[in-house]
Amino acid sequence: MFLELKNTTIGYKTPLIKGVQASLDIGDICLMIGNNGVGKTTLVKSILGQIPVLNGNIFINGKNINNTRSEDIAKLISVVFSKGEIPQQYTVYDLIAFGKYIHYPYYFKLKKEDKLEILDIISNLHLEDFTNTYLHQLSDGNLQKAFIGRALAQNSPIIILDEPTTHLDEDNKIMILKLLRNLAENHQKLILFSSHDWRLAKEFADKIWFLKDKKLQ
């Protein structure tokens, strides 16, 4: 299994989720559901190594995240939070291109294949009309899609999304969920995403993590 949680307890000073035994593999698409405040975002941050676990271990590709540099975790996992900071003076193209940053030194020039991939991502997200639009000028829905585009540009084996369909209308929700399904099935990605639209989202997932009463089922 590519992502493994072994007897993992997560939280801050007090546990939010106790004794998690769960795993996901490349090609899996997993929907994470639960009420607000049960620990969904905290679990994501724990997987990213941003919050230390209170007990147990988390492994990515067999390696404990406690022994993994943050730079290496960034190459393994791309993440989209429901509330992202909007970079000033960035266009849609700039933001998605920034997903390539982890693969290059601080100063870098995009290769031809990088530029073609970025344009392909923009097309798949139906953002062609907004390629050179500044982020602060976008609707909430198109801004959400642009942040998803940045995650796709990272080409990481794991993609984690916190409420990726928030602010999207029904057509765009289905488009994003179909895109995630395609990435898992045809591009060998492990997809973990949370959603309040679980009745719709469950149709695109093959596994569900349900968080309730400090347990992950």
Side-chain angles (χ1 to χ4, degrees):
M1 288 294 178
F2 202 81
L3 173 63
E4 295 181 274
L5 289 80
K6 295 185 176 181
N7 195 32
T8 308
T9 297
I10 65 105
Y12 293 88
K13 292 183 179 180
T14 57
L16 280 172
I17 310 170
K18 298 180 179 179
V20 177
Q21 297 281 3
S23 60
L24 296 171
D25 210 352
I26 296 296
D28 287 339
I29 179 165
C30 179
L31 167 63
M32 180 166 56
I33 57 176
N35 293 332
N36 290 335
V38 296
K40 297 190 298 295
T41 301
T42 304
L43 177 58
V44 169
K45 290 183 176 181
S46 298
I47 293 172
L48 293 170
Q50 296 177 355
I51 300 173
V53 299
L54 300 180
N55 190 48
N57 296 284
I58 298 175
F59 297 89
I60 300 176
N61 200 19
K63 190 172 183 180
N64 195 315
I65 61 166
N66 291 333
N67 305 320
T68 307
R69 299 183 310 163
S70 58
E71 294 90 342
D72 293 327
I73 292 176
K75 292 178 181 179
L76 290 166
I77 306 175
S78 53
V79 62
V80 180
F81 287 110
S82 57
K83 294 180 180 179
E85 185 176 342
I86 302 175
Q88 294 297 313
Q89 302 306 312
Y90 269 43
T91 65
V92 168
Y93 185 95
D94 295 333
L95 180 67
I96 295 175
F98 198 66
K100 293 296 181 186
Y101 173 75
I102 62 169
H103 302 290
Y104 294 103
Y106 186 74
Y107 295 102
F108 72 93
K109 293 183 70 173
L110 291 176
K111 299 177 182 178
K112 181 179 179 180
E113 55 266 33
D114 292 326
K115 295 177 181 179
L116 291 174
E117 184 181 348
I118 291 164
L119 292 175
D120 188 51
I121 290 170
I122 289 172
S123 176
N124 287 336
L125 292 171
H126 301 168
L127 288 172
E128 300 101 316
D129 292 341
F130 305 97
T131 302
N132 297 309
T133 300
Y134 288 111
L135 298 177
H136 68 267
Q137 296 175 326
L138 295 174
S139 67
D140 287 341
N142 284 327
L143 181 63
Q144 183 79 343
K145 290 197 289 183
F147 274 104
I148 291 172
R150 182 186 65 176
L152 300 180
Q154 282 186 225
N155 281 331
S156 304
I158 301 175
I159 303 177
I160 299 178
L161 307 102
D162 184 18
E163 300 287 348
T165 57
T166 299
H167 307 305
L168 299 180
D169 59 30
E170 202 73 3
D171 287 343
N172 276 312
K173 286 178 183 178
I174 292 173
M175 184 269 290
I176 291 297
L177 292 169
K178 283 183 175 179
L179 176 64
L180 297 179
R181 177 78 266 169
N182 177 60
L183 287 168
E185 289 182 350
N186 300 317
H187 297 274
Q188 292 299 291
K189 303 292 185 183
L190 187 165
I191 309 288
L192 173 63
F193 73 106
S194 63
S195 178
H196 284 303
D197 302 304
W198 65 268
R199 291 176 180 84
L200 173 65
K202 69 181 176 62
E203 303 301 327
F204 296 86
D206 42 41
K207 295 186 177 181
I208 294 177
W209 284 2
F210 178 44
L211 277 59
K212 186 179 180 180
D213 297 330
K214 296 186 178 182
K215 294 180 180 180
L216 187 153
Q217 301 175 14

